[in-house]
PDB file of all heavy atoms in Angstrom:
ATOM      1  N   VAL A  31       5.172  -6.374 -18.158  1.00 96.00           N
ATOM      2  CA  VAL A  31       4.307  -7.261 -17.324  1.00 96.00           C
ATOM      3  C   VAL A  31       2.882  -6.647 -17.265  1.00 96.00           C
ATOM      4  O   VAL A  31       1.889  -7.298 -17.482  1.00 96.00           O
ATOM      5  CB  VAL A  31       4.830  -7.435 -15.918  1.00 96.00           C
ATOM      6  CG1 VAL A  31       3.830  -8.130 -15.024  1.00 96.00           C
ATOM      7  CG2 VAL A  31       6.117  -8.229 -15.970  1.00 96.00           C
ATOM      8  N   SER A  32       2.834  -5.351 -17.093  1.00 94.00           N
ATOM      9  CA  SER A  32       1.571  -4.648 -17.009  1.00 94.00           C
ATOM     10  C   SER A  32       0.743  -4.781 -18.347  1.00 94.00           C
ATOM     11  O   SER A  32      -0.422  -5.118 -18.360  1.00 94.00           O
ATOM     12  CB  SER A  32       1.791  -3.166 -16.665  1.00 94.00           C
ATOM     13  OG  SER A  32       0.558  -2.446 -16.879  1.00 94.00           O
ATOM     14  N   GLN A  33       1.395  -4.500 -19.485  1.00 93.00           N
ATOM     15  CA  GLN A  33       0.726  -4.508 -20.804  1.00 93.00           C
ATOM     16  C   GLN A  33       0.272  -5.966 -21.137  1.00 93.00           C
ATOM     17  O   GLN A  33      -0.802  -6.124 -21.662  1.00 93.00           O
ATOM     18  CB  GLN A  33       1.538  -3.920 -21.836  1.00 93.00           C
ATOM     19  CG  GLN A  33       1.963  -2.447 -21.570  1.00 93.00           C
ATOM     20  CD  GLN A  33       0.718  -1.572 -21.206  1.00 93.00           C
ATOM     21  OE1 GLN A  33      -0.123  -1.331 -22.015  1.00 93.00           O
ATOM     22  NE2 GLN A  33       0.729  -1.046 -19.947  1.00 93.00           N
ATOM     23  N   VAL A  34       1.132  -6.904 -20.867  1.00 93.00           N
ATOM     24  CA  VAL A  34       0.752  -8.272 -21.244  1.00 93.00           C
ATOM     25  C   VAL A  34      -0.388  -8.756 -20.260  1.00 93.00           C
ATOM     26  O   VAL A  34      -1.366  -9.428 -20.696  1.00 93.00           O
ATOM     27  CB  VAL A  34       1.998  -9.231 -21.004  1.00 93.00           C
ATOM     28  CG1 VAL A  34       1.645 -10.698 -21.047  1.00 93.00           C
ATOM     29  CG2 VAL A  34       3.043  -8.907 -22.031  1.00 93.00           C
ATOM     30  N   SER A  35      -0.375  -8.394 -18.984  1.00 92.00           N
ATOM     31  CA  SER A  35      -1.436  -8.835 -18.123  1.00 92.00           C
ATOM     32  C   SER A  35      -2.759  -8.105 -18.447  1.00 92.00           C
ATOM     33  O   SER A  35      -3.859  -8.700 -18.407  1.00 92.00           O
ATOM     34  CB  SER A  35      -1.112  -8.511 -16.680  1.00 92.00           C
ATOM     35  OG  SER A  35      -0.852  -7.174 -16.412  1.00 92.00           O
ATOM     36  N   ARG A  36      -2.658  -6.823 -18.889  1.00 88.00           N
ATOM     37  CA  ARG A  36      -3.890  -6.141 -19.345  1.00 88.00           C
ATOM     38  C   ARG A  36      -4.460  -6.782 -20.606  1.00 88.00           C
ATOM     39  O   ARG A  36      -5.668  -6.759 -20.808  1.00 88.00           O
ATOM     40  CB  ARG A  36      -3.618  -4.627 -19.632  1.00 88.00           C
ATOM     41  CG  ARG A  36      -3.349  -3.868 -18.386  1.00 88.00           C
ATOM     42  CD  ARG A  36      -3.255  -2.333 -18.731  1.00 88.00           C
ATOM     43  NE  ARG A  36      -4.588  -1.772 -18.963  1.00 88.00           N
ATOM     44  CZ  ARG A  36      -4.804  -0.535 -19.364  1.00 88.00           C
ATOM     45  NH1 ARG A  36      -3.784   0.304 -19.541  1.00 88.00           N
ATOM     46  NH2 ARG A  36      -6.047  -0.129 -19.635  1.00 88.00           N
ATOM     47  N   LEU A  37      -3.627  -7.292 -21.491  1.00 88.00           N
ATOM     48  CA  LEU A  37      -4.005  -7.804 -22.743  1.00 88.00           C
ATOM     49  C   LEU A  37      -4.660  -9.253 -22.524  1.00 88.00           C
ATOM     50  O   LEU A  37      -5.633  -9.610 -23.174  1.00 88.00           O
ATOM     51  CB  LEU A  37      -2.855  -7.897 -23.682  1.00 88.00           C
ATOM     52  CG  LEU A  37      -3.126  -8.377 -25.147  1.00 88.00           C
ATOM     53  CD1 LEU A  37      -4.087  -7.421 -25.828  1.00 88.00           C
ATOM     54  CD2 LEU A  37      -1.837  -8.499 -25.896  1.00 88.00           C
ATOM     55  N   LEU A  38      -4.017 -10.031 -21.682  1.00 88.00           N
ATOM     56  CA  LEU A  38      -4.339 -11.405 -21.567  1.00 88.00           C
ATOM     57  C   LEU A  38      -5.147 -11.768 -20.281  1.00 88.00           C
ATOM     58  O   LEU A  38      -6.082 -12.569 -20.334  1.00 88.00           O
ATOM     59  CB  LEU A  38      -3.098 -12.280 -21.575  1.00 88.00           C
ATOM     60  CG  LEU A  38      -2.153 -12.144 -22.859  1.00 88.00           C
ATOM     61  CD1 LEU A  38      -0.918 -13.025 -22.686  1.00 88.00           C
ATOM     62  CD2 LEU A  38      -2.968 -12.502 -24.104  1.00 88.00           C
ATOM     63  N   VAL A  39      -4.729 -11.243 -19.137  1.00 87.00           N
ATOM     64  CA  VAL A  39      -5.416 -11.546 -17.861  1.00 87.00           C
ATOM     65  C   VAL A  39      -5.739 -10.273 -17.134  1.00 87.00           C
ATOM     66  O   VAL A  39      -5.267 -10.124 -15.967  1.00 87.00           O
ATOM     67  CB  VAL A  39      -4.575 -12.600 -17.041  1.00 87.00           C
ATOM     68  CG1 VAL A  39      -4.569 -13.935 -17.666  1.00 87.00           C
ATOM     69  CG2 VAL A  39      -3.111 -12.108 -17.009  1.00 87.00           C
ATOM     70  N   GLU A  40      -6.603  -9.491 -17.614  1.00 85.00           N
ATOM     71  CA  GLU A  40      -6.932  -8.160 -16.920  1.00 85.00           C
ATOM     72  C   GLU A  40      -7.433  -8.378 -15.523  1.00 85.00           C
ATOM     73  O   GLU A  40      -7.043  -7.641 -14.602  1.00 85.00           O
ATOM     74  CB  GLU A  40      -8.064  -7.531 -17.732  1.00 85.00           C
ATOM     75  CG  GLU A  40      -8.594  -6.206 -17.133  1.00 85.00           C
ATOM     76  CD  GLU A  40      -7.666  -5.034 -17.277  1.00 85.00           C
ATOM     77  OE1 GLU A  40      -6.822  -5.079 -18.180  1.00 85.00           O
ATOM     78  OE2 GLU A  40      -7.822  -4.059 -16.477  1.00 85.00           O
ATOM     79  N   LYS A  41      -8.124  -9.484 -15.272  1.00 88.00           N
ATOM     80  CA  LYS A  41      -8.663  -9.691 -13.872  1.00 88.00           C
ATOM     81  C   LYS A  41      -7.592  -9.989 -12.876  1.00 88.00           C
ATOM     82  O   LYS A  41      -7.727  -9.576 -11.679  1.00 88.00           O
ATOM     83  CB  LYS A  41      -9.578 -10.998 -14.009  1.00 88.00           C
ATOM     84  CG  LYS A  41     -10.252 -11.317 -12.709  1.00 88.00           C
ATOM     85  CD  LYS A  41     -11.202 -12.542 -12.848  1.00 88.00           C
ATOM     86  CE  LYS A  41     -11.878 -12.811 -11.547  1.00 88.00           C
ATOM     87  NZ  LYS A  41     -12.768 -14.106 -11.630  1.00 88.00           N
ATOM     88  N   TYR A  42      -6.421 -10.433 -13.328  1.00 92.00           N
ATOM     89  CA  TYR A  42      -5.348 -10.805 -12.386  1.00 92.00           C
ATOM     90  C   TYR A  42      -4.229  -9.821 -12.459  1.00 92.00           C
ATOM     91  O   TYR A  42      -3.115  -9.988 -11.872  1.00 92.00           O
ATOM     92  CB  TYR A  42      -4.815 -12.178 -12.690  1.00 92.00           C
ATOM     93  CG  TYR A  42      -5.845 -13.278 -12.572  1.00 92.00           C
ATOM     94  CD1 TYR A  42      -6.452 -13.821 -13.626  1.00 92.00           C
ATOM     95  CD2 TYR A  42      -6.344 -13.741 -11.256  1.00 92.00           C
ATOM     96  CE1 TYR A  42      -7.440 -14.775 -13.587  1.00 92.00           C
ATOM     97  CE2 TYR A  42      -7.295 -14.680 -11.117  1.00 92.00           C
ATOM     98  CZ  TYR A  42      -7.873 -15.246 -12.294  1.00 92.00           C
ATOM     99  OH  TYR A  42      -8.844 -16.131 -12.179  1.00 92.00           O
ATOM    100  N   LYS A  43      -4.456  -8.627 -13.108  1.00 93.00           N
ATOM    101  CA  LYS A  43      -3.399  -7.701 -13.241  1.00 93.00           C
ATOM    102  C   LYS A  43      -2.766  -7.187 -11.908  1.00 93.00           C
ATOM    103  O   LYS A  43      -1.544  -7.101 -11.777  1.00 93.00           O
ATOM    104  CB  LYS A  43      -3.941  -6.470 -14.008  1.00 93.00           C
ATOM    105  CG  LYS A  43      -2.872  -5.338 -14.209  1.00 93.00           C
ATOM    106  CD  LYS A  43      -3.476  -4.184 -14.962  1.00 93.00           C
ATOM    107  CE  LYS A  43      -4.421  -3.386 -14.139  1.00 93.00           C
ATOM    108  NZ  LYS A  43      -4.919  -2.089 -14.769  1.00 93.00           N
ATOM    109  N   PRO A  44      -3.641  -6.791 -10.914  1.00 94.00           N
ATOM    110  CA  PRO A  44      -3.045  -6.412  -9.608  1.00 94.00           C
ATOM    111  C   PRO A  44      -2.048  -7.443  -9.029  1.00 94.00           C
ATOM    112  O   PRO A  44      -1.023  -7.078  -8.431  1.00 94.00           O
ATOM    113  CB  PRO A  44      -4.261  -6.295  -8.721  1.00 94.00           C
ATOM    114  CG  PRO A  44      -5.376  -6.078  -9.625  1.00 94.00           C
ATOM    115  CD  PRO A  44      -5.119  -6.883 -10.827  1.00 94.00           C
ATOM    116  N   TRP A  45      -2.313  -8.735  -9.193  1.00 96.00           N
ATOM    117  CA  TRP A  45      -1.567  -9.793  -8.556  1.00 96.00           C
ATOM    118  C   TRP A  45      -0.217  -9.980  -9.372  1.00 96.00           C
ATOM    119  O   TRP A  45       0.821 -10.266  -8.749  1.00 96.00           O
ATOM    120  CB  TRP A  45      -2.283 -11.087  -8.340  1.00 96.00           C
ATOM    121  CG  TRP A  45      -3.729 -10.740  -7.905  1.00 96.00           C
ATOM    122  CD1 TRP A  45      -4.862 -11.085  -8.475  1.00 96.00           C
ATOM    123  CD2 TRP A  45      -4.092 -10.045  -6.725  1.00 96.00           C
ATOM    124  NE1 TRP A  45      -5.982 -10.583  -7.742  1.00 96.00           N
ATOM    125  CE2 TRP A  45      -5.512  -9.944  -6.666  1.00 96.00           C
ATOM    126  CE3 TRP A  45      -3.333  -9.355  -5.742  1.00 96.00           C
ATOM    127  CZ2 TRP A  45      -6.237  -9.300  -5.716  1.00 96.00           C
ATOM    128  CZ3 TRP A  45      -4.047  -8.689  -4.670  1.00 96.00           C
ATOM    129  CH2 TRP A  45      -5.453  -8.672  -4.719  1.00 96.00           C
ATOM    130  N   CYS A  46      -0.381  -9.873 -10.700  1.00 96.00           N
ATOM    131  CA  CYS A  46       0.818  -9.905 -11.565  1.00 96.00           C
ATOM    132  C   CYS A  46       1.820  -8.825 -11.191  1.00 96.00           C
ATOM    133  O   CYS A  46       3.017  -9.038 -11.035  1.00 96.00           O
ATOM    134  CB  CYS A  46       0.437  -9.929 -12.999  1.00 96.00           C
ATOM    135  SG  CYS A  46      -0.526 -11.239 -13.649  1.00 96.00           S
ATOM    136  N   LEU A  47       1.308  -7.611 -11.069  1.00 97.00           N
ATOM    137  CA  LEU A  47       2.128  -6.485 -10.741  1.00 97.00           C
ATOM    138  C   LEU A  47       2.651  -6.522  -9.300  1.00 97.00           C
ATOM    139  O   LEU A  47       3.834  -6.124  -9.033  1.00 97.00           O
ATOM    140  CB  LEU A  47       1.334  -5.122 -10.912  1.00 97.00           C
ATOM    141  CG  LEU A  47       0.827  -4.872 -12.382  1.00 97.00           C
ATOM    142  CD1 LEU A  47       0.111  -3.516 -12.404  1.00 97.00           C
ATOM    143  CD2 LEU A  47       2.032  -4.886 -13.266  1.00 97.00           C
ATOM    144  N   TRP A 152      -4.397  -7.182  -0.987  1.00 96.00           N
ATOM    145  CA  TRP A 152      -4.571  -5.874  -1.613  1.00 96.00           C
ATOM    146  C   TRP A 152      -3.550  -4.887  -1.054  1.00 96.00           C
ATOM    147  O   TRP A 152      -2.989  -4.004  -1.690  1.00 96.00           O
ATOM    148  CB  TRP A 152      -5.944  -5.395  -1.442  1.00 96.00           C
ATOM    149  CG  TRP A 152      -6.845  -5.695  -2.629  1.00 96.00           C
ATOM    150  CD1 TRP A 152      -7.800  -6.647  -2.730  1.00 96.00           C
ATOM    151  CD2 TRP A 152      -6.781  -5.106  -3.908  1.00 96.00           C
ATOM    152  NE1 TRP A 152      -8.367  -6.685  -3.960  1.00 96.00           N
ATOM    153  CE2 TRP A 152      -7.835  -5.784  -4.711  1.00 96.00           C
ATOM    154  CE3 TRP A 152      -6.016  -4.101  -4.517  1.00 96.00           C
ATOM    155  CZ2 TRP A 152      -7.950  -5.395  -6.091  1.00 96.00           C
ATOM    156  CZ3 TRP A 152      -6.239  -3.794  -5.864  1.00 96.00           C
ATOM    157  CH2 TRP A 152      -7.195  -4.408  -6.599  1.00 96.00           C
ATOM    158  N   PHE A 174      -6.135   4.163  -5.494  1.00 95.00           N
ATOM    159  CA  PHE A 174      -5.449   3.047  -6.131  1.00 95.00           C
ATOM    160  C   PHE A 174      -6.396   1.847  -6.299  1.00 95.00           C
ATOM    161  O   PHE A 174      -6.443   1.213  -7.367  1.00 95.00           O
ATOM    162  CB  PHE A 174      -4.232   2.654  -5.271  1.00 95.00           C
ATOM    163  CG  PHE A 174      -3.471   1.436  -5.800  1.00 95.00           C
ATOM    164  CD1 PHE A 174      -2.517   1.526  -6.748  1.00 95.00           C
ATOM    165  CD2 PHE A 174      -3.808   0.192  -5.148  1.00 95.00           C
ATOM    166  CE1 PHE A 174      -1.850   0.364  -7.215  1.00 95.00           C
ATOM    167  CE2 PHE A 174      -3.105  -0.980  -5.633  1.00 95.00           C
ATOM    168  CZ  PHE A 174      -2.117  -0.846  -6.657  1.00 95.00           C
ATOM    169  N   SER A 175      -7.062   1.517  -5.284  1.00 93.00           N
ATOM    170  CA  SER A 175      -7.932   0.362  -5.237  1.00 93.00           C
ATOM    171  C   SER A 175      -9.108   0.463  -6.207  1.00 93.00           C
ATOM    172  O   SER A 175      -9.352  -0.412  -7.042  1.00 93.00           O
ATOM    173  CB  SER A 175      -8.516   0.097  -3.827  1.00 93.00           C
ATOM    174  OG  SER A 175      -9.456  -0.940  -3.769  1.00 93.00           O
ATOM    175  N   LYS A 176      -9.713   1.659  -6.231  1.00 92.00           N
ATOM    176  CA  LYS A 176     -10.893   1.836  -7.170  1.00 92.00           C
ATOM    177  C   LYS A 176     -10.446   1.722  -8.591  1.00 92.00           C
ATOM    178  O   LYS A 176     -11.101   1.104  -9.477  1.00 92.00           O
ATOM    179  CB  LYS A 176     -11.540   3.144  -6.895  1.00 92.00           C
ATOM    180  CG  LYS A 176     -12.323   3.298  -5.618  1.00 92.00           C
ATOM    181  CD  LYS A 176     -12.805   4.719  -5.342  1.00 92.00           C
ATOM    182  CE  LYS A 176     -13.468   4.822  -3.975  1.00 92.00           C
ATOM    183  NZ  LYS A 176     -13.849   6.257  -3.689  1.00 92.00           N
ATOM    184  N   GLN A 177      -9.354   2.366  -8.964  1.00 92.00           N
ATOM    185  CA  GLN A 177      -8.860   2.414 -10.306  1.00 92.00           C
ATOM    186  C   GLN A 177      -8.250   1.073 -10.743  1.00 92.00           C
ATOM    187  O   GLN A 177      -8.432   0.659 -11.917  1.00 92.00           O
ATOM    188  CB  GLN A 177      -7.809   3.514 -10.449  1.00 92.00           C
ATOM    189  CG  GLN A 177      -8.373   4.935 -10.286  1.00 92.00           C
ATOM    190  CD  GLN A 177      -7.318   5.964 -10.281  1.00 92.00           C
ATOM    191  OE1 GLN A 177      -6.364   5.861 -11.169  1.00 92.00           O
ATOM    192  NE2 GLN A 177      -7.386   7.029  -9.485  1.00 92.00           N
ATOM    193  N   MET A 178      -7.560   0.396  -9.819  1.00 92.00           N
ATOM    194  CA  MET A 178      -6.960  -0.960 -10.204  1.00 92.00           C
ATOM    195  C   MET A 178      -8.007  -1.973 -10.414  1.00 92.00           C
ATOM    196  O   MET A 178      -7.839  -2.875 -11.234  1.00 92.00           O
ATOM    197  CB  MET A 178      -5.984  -1.384  -9.053  1.00 92.00           C
ATOM    198  CG  MET A 178      -5.101  -2.523  -9.430  1.00 92.00           C
ATOM    199  SD  MET A 178      -4.064  -2.297 -10.877  1.00 92.00           S
ATOM    200  CE  MET A 178      -2.634  -1.408 -10.128  1.00 92.00           C
ATOM    201  N   ARG A 179      -9.214  -1.918  -9.722  1.00 88.00           N
ATOM    202  CA  ARG A 179     -10.233  -2.885  -9.786  1.00 88.00           C
ATOM    203  C   ARG A 179     -11.048  -2.648 -11.003  1.00 88.00           C
ATOM    204  O   ARG A 179     -11.846  -3.517 -11.491  1.00 88.00           O
ATOM    205  CB  ARG A 179     -11.016  -2.975  -8.526  1.00 88.00           C
ATOM    206  CG  ARG A 179     -10.332  -3.631  -7.380  1.00 88.00           C
ATOM    207  CD  ARG A 179     -11.257  -3.791  -6.124  1.00 88.00           C
ATOM    208  NE  ARG A 179     -11.473  -2.515  -5.512  1.00 88.00           N
ATOM    209  CZ  ARG A 179     -12.677  -1.963  -5.403  1.00 88.00           C
ATOM    210  NH1 ARG A 179     -13.716  -2.516  -5.934  1.00 88.00           N
ATOM    211  NH2 ARG A 179     -12.747  -0.781  -4.775  1.00 88.00           N
ATOM    212  N   ARG A 180     -10.976  -1.423 -11.579  1.00 83.00           N
ATOM    213  CA  ARG A 180     -11.774  -1.095 -12.758  1.00 83.00           C
ATOM    214  C   ARG A 180     -11.197  -1.690 -13.999  1.00 83.00           C
ATOM    215  O   ARG A 180     -10.018  -1.546 -14.310  1.00 83.00           O
ATOM    216  CB  ARG A 180     -11.816   0.461 -12.954  1.00 83.00           C
ATOM    217  CG  ARG A 180     -12.731   0.928 -14.032  1.00 83.00           C
ATOM    218  CD  ARG A 180     -12.614   2.502 -14.096  1.00 83.00           C
ATOM    219  NE  ARG A 180     -11.331   2.968 -14.411  1.00 83.00           N
ATOM    220  CZ  ARG A 180     -10.754   4.018 -13.793  1.00 83.00           C
ATOM    221  NH1 ARG A 180     -11.321   4.702 -12.916  1.00 83.00           N
ATOM    222  NH2 ARG A 180      -9.499   4.365 -14.187  1.00 83.00           N
ATOM    223  N   GLN A 181     -11.990  -2.483 -14.722  1.00 72.00           N
ATOM    224  CA  GLN A 181     -11.471  -3.194 -15.896  1.00 72.00           C
ATOM    225  C   GLN A 181     -11.952  -2.413 -17.108  1.00 72.00           C
ATOM    226  O   GLN A 181     -13.125  -2.140 -17.326  1.00 72.00           O
ATOM    227  CB  GLN A 181     -12.037  -4.638 -15.943  1.00 72.00           C
ATOM    228  CG  GLN A 181     -11.509  -5.505 -14.813  1.00 72.00           C
ATOM    229  CD  GLN A 181     -11.903  -6.927 -14.945  1.00 72.00           C
ATOM    230  OE1 GLN A 181     -12.268  -7.377 -15.932  1.00 72.00           O
ATOM    231  NE2 GLN A 181     -11.825  -7.626 -13.838  1.00 72.00           N
ATOM    232  N   GLU A 182     -10.988  -2.045 -17.924  1.00 73.00           N
ATOM    233  CA  GLU A 182     -11.277  -1.311 -19.166  1.00 73.00           C
ATOM    234  C   GLU A 182     -10.794  -2.096 -20.393  1.00 73.00           C
ATOM    235  O   GLU A 182      -9.890  -2.897 -20.318  1.00 73.00           O
ATOM    236  CB  GLU A 182     -10.536   0.128 -19.148  1.00 73.00           C
ATOM    237  CG  GLU A 182     -10.971   1.015 -18.004  1.00 73.00           C
ATOM    238  CD  GLU A 182     -10.219   2.267 -17.948  1.00 73.00           C
ATOM    239  OE1 GLU A 182      -9.031   2.332 -18.448  1.00 73.00           O
ATOM    240  OE2 GLU A 182     -10.724   3.243 -17.395  1.00 73.00           O
ATOM    241  N   ALA A 183     -11.347  -1.772 -21.514  1.00 70.00           N
ATOM    242  CA  ALA A 183     -10.861  -2.346 -22.782  1.00 70.00           C
ATOM    243  C   ALA A 183      -9.473  -1.888 -23.058  1.00 70.00           C
ATOM    244  O   ALA A 183      -9.189  -0.707 -22.939  1.00 70.00           O
ATOM    245  CB  ALA A 183     -11.827  -1.973 -23.852  1.00 70.00           C
ATOM    246  N   PHE A 184      -8.596  -2.918 -23.474  1.00 72.00           N
ATOM    247  CA  PHE A 184      -7.242  -2.599 -23.789  1.00 72.00           C
ATOM    248  C   PHE A 184      -7.102  -2.041 -25.204  1.00 72.00           C
ATOM    249  O   PHE A 184      -7.522  -2.723 -26.165  1.00 72.00           O
ATOM    250  CB  PHE A 184      -6.357  -3.861 -23.540  1.00 72.00           C
ATOM    251  CG  PHE A 184      -4.931  -3.563 -23.756  1.00 72.00           C
ATOM    252  CD1 PHE A 184      -4.191  -2.895 -22.800  1.00 72.00           C
ATOM    253  CD2 PHE A 184      -4.215  -4.077 -24.833  1.00 72.00           C
ATOM    254  CE1 PHE A 184      -2.796  -2.672 -22.912  1.00 72.00           C
ATOM    255  CE2 PHE A 184      -2.878  -3.840 -24.968  1.00 72.00           C
ATOM    256  CZ  PHE A 184      -2.187  -3.211 -24.060  1.00 72.00           C
ATOM    257  N   ASN A 185      -6.479  -0.869 -25.331  1.00 77.00           N
ATOM    258  CA  ASN A 185      -6.377  -0.263 -26.678  1.00 77.00           C
ATOM    259  C   ASN A 185      -4.814  -0.060 -26.882  1.00 77.00           C
ATOM    260  O   ASN A 185      -4.235   0.846 -26.329  1.00 77.00           O
ATOM    261  CB  ASN A 185      -7.080   1.080 -26.701  1.00 77.00           C
ATOM    262  CG  ASN A 185      -7.094   1.650 -28.121  1.00 77.00           C
ATOM    263  OD1 ASN A 185      -6.158   1.578 -28.809  1.00 77.00           O
ATOM    264  ND2 ASN A 185      -8.279   2.171 -28.511  1.00 77.00           N
ATOM    265  N   VAL A 186      -4.241  -0.871 -27.754  1.00 79.00           N
ATOM    266  CA  VAL A 186      -2.773  -0.891 -28.036  1.00 79.00           C
ATOM    267  C   VAL A 186      -2.384   0.467 -28.648  1.00 79.00           C
ATOM    268  O   VAL A 186      -1.376   1.087 -28.218  1.00 79.00           O
ATOM    269  CB  VAL A 186      -2.341  -2.040 -28.895  1.00 79.00           C
ATOM    270  CG1 VAL A 186      -0.846  -1.953 -29.234  1.00 79.00           C
ATOM    271  CG2 VAL A 186      -2.621  -3.384 -28.210  1.00 79.00           C
ATOM    272  N   ASN A 189      -2.481   3.312 -26.002  1.00 88.00           N
ATOM    273  CA  ASN A 189      -1.418   3.204 -25.089  1.00 88.00           C
ATOM    274  C   ASN A 189      -0.086   3.498 -25.705  1.00 88.00           C
ATOM    275  O   ASN A 189       0.786   4.158 -25.009  1.00 88.00           O
ATOM    276  CB  ASN A 189      -1.395   1.704 -24.458  1.00 88.00           C
ATOM    277  CG  ASN A 189      -2.048   1.717 -23.145  1.00 88.00           C
ATOM    278  OD1 ASN A 189      -2.966   2.545 -22.854  1.00 88.00           O
ATOM    279  ND2 ASN A 189      -1.753   0.765 -22.332  1.00 88.00           N
ATOM    280  N   LEU A 260       1.892   4.871 -14.554  1.00 96.00           N
ATOM    281  CA  LEU A 260       0.569   4.785 -13.965  1.00 96.00           C
ATOM    282  C   LEU A 260      -0.506   4.951 -15.018  1.00 96.00           C
ATOM    283  O   LEU A 260      -1.444   4.185 -15.074  1.00 96.00           O
ATOM    284  CB  LEU A 260       0.366   5.914 -12.914  1.00 96.00           C
ATOM    285  CG  LEU A 260       1.010   5.694 -11.501  1.00 96.00           C
ATOM    286  CD1 LEU A 260       1.201   6.990 -10.792  1.00 96.00           C
ATOM    287  CD2 LEU A 260       0.151   4.725 -10.733  1.00 96.00           C
ATOM    288  N   ARG A 261      -0.345   5.842 -16.012  1.00 94.00           N
ATOM    289  CA  ARG A 261      -1.252   5.988 -17.057  1.00 94.00           C
ATOM    290  C   ARG A 261      -1.315   4.791 -17.910  1.00 94.00           C
ATOM    291  O   ARG A 261      -2.324   4.371 -18.435  1.00 94.00           O
ATOM    292  CB  ARG A 261      -0.900   7.226 -17.880  1.00 94.00           C
ATOM    293  CG  ARG A 261      -1.129   8.570 -17.081  1.00 94.00           C
ATOM    294  CD  ARG A 261      -0.804   9.738 -18.019  1.00 94.00           C
ATOM    295  NE  ARG A 261      -1.789   9.867 -19.038  1.00 94.00           N
ATOM    296  CZ  ARG A 261      -1.643  10.607 -20.106  1.00 94.00           C
ATOM    297  NH1 ARG A 261      -0.516  11.264 -20.354  1.00 94.00           N
ATOM    298  NH2 ARG A 261      -2.595  10.689 -21.059  1.00 94.00           N
ATOM    299  N   MET A 262      -0.118   4.183 -18.198  1.00 94.00           N
ATOM    300  CA  MET A 262      -0.054   2.961 -18.983  1.00 94.00           C
ATOM    301  C   MET A 262      -0.771   1.791 -18.270  1.00 94.00           C
ATOM    302  O   MET A 262      -1.287   0.863 -18.983  1.00 94.00           O
ATOM    303  CB  MET A 262       1.348   2.632 -19.296  1.00 94.00           C
ATOM    304  CG  MET A 262       2.210   3.590 -20.096  1.00 94.00           C
ATOM    305  SD  MET A 262       1.551   3.686 -21.835  1.00 94.00           S
ATOM    306  CE  MET A 262       1.988   2.124 -22.453  1.00 94.00           C
ATOM    307  N   ASP A 263      -0.772   1.866 -16.986  1.00 93.00           N
ATOM    308  CA  ASP A 263      -1.460   0.821 -16.272  1.00 93.00           C
ATOM    309  C   ASP A 263      -2.980   1.095 -16.092  1.00 93.00           C
ATOM    310  O   ASP A 263      -3.744   0.275 -15.505  1.00 93.00           O
ATOM    311  CB  ASP A 263      -0.869   0.712 -14.805  1.00 93.00           C
ATOM    312  CG  ASP A 263       0.473   0.128 -14.829  1.00 93.00           C
ATOM    313  OD1 ASP A 263       0.919  -0.437 -15.929  1.00 93.00           O
ATOM    314  OD2 ASP A 263       1.207   0.240 -13.822  1.00 93.00           O
ATOM    315  N   GLY A 264      -3.431   2.170 -16.713  1.00 90.00           N
ATOM    316  CA  GLY A 264      -4.891   2.505 -16.611  1.00 90.00           C
ATOM    317  C   GLY A 264      -5.269   3.261 -15.304  1.00 90.00           C
ATOM    318  O   GLY A 264      -6.488   3.364 -15.035  1.00 90.00           O
ATOM    319  N   LEU A 265      -4.280   3.798 -14.602  1.00 93.00           N
ATOM    320  CA  LEU A 265      -4.470   4.583 -13.419  1.00 93.00           C
ATOM    321  C   LEU A 265      -4.340   6.062 -13.679  1.00 93.00           C
ATOM    322  O   LEU A 265      -3.695   6.427 -14.721  1.00 93.00           O
ATOM    323  CB  LEU A 265      -3.557   4.179 -12.310  1.00 93.00           C
ATOM    324  CG  LEU A 265      -3.472   2.717 -11.980  1.00 93.00           C
ATOM    325  CD1 LEU A 265      -2.497   2.432 -10.879  1.00 93.00           C
ATOM    326  CD2 LEU A 265      -4.775   2.132 -11.612  1.00 93.00           C
TER     327      LEU A 265
END
Side-chain angles (χ1 to χ4, degrees):
V31 171
S32 167
Q33 299 310 293
V34 170
S35 61
R36 288 189 74 185
L37 184 62
L38 302 178
V39 284
E40 175 75 21
K41 184 178 178 182
Y42 301 103
K43 181 182 72 174
W45 318 122
C46 294
L47 297 182
W152 266 105
F174 174 85
S175 174
K176 288 173 187 174
Q177 294 175 39
M178 189 62 81
R179 285 185 290 114
R180 184 179 63 222
Q181 295 187 17
E182 296 177 336
F184 183 74
N185 189 321
V186 176
N189 263 25
L260 281 161
R261 293 183 67 197
M262 294 295 292
D263 290 346
L265 308 180

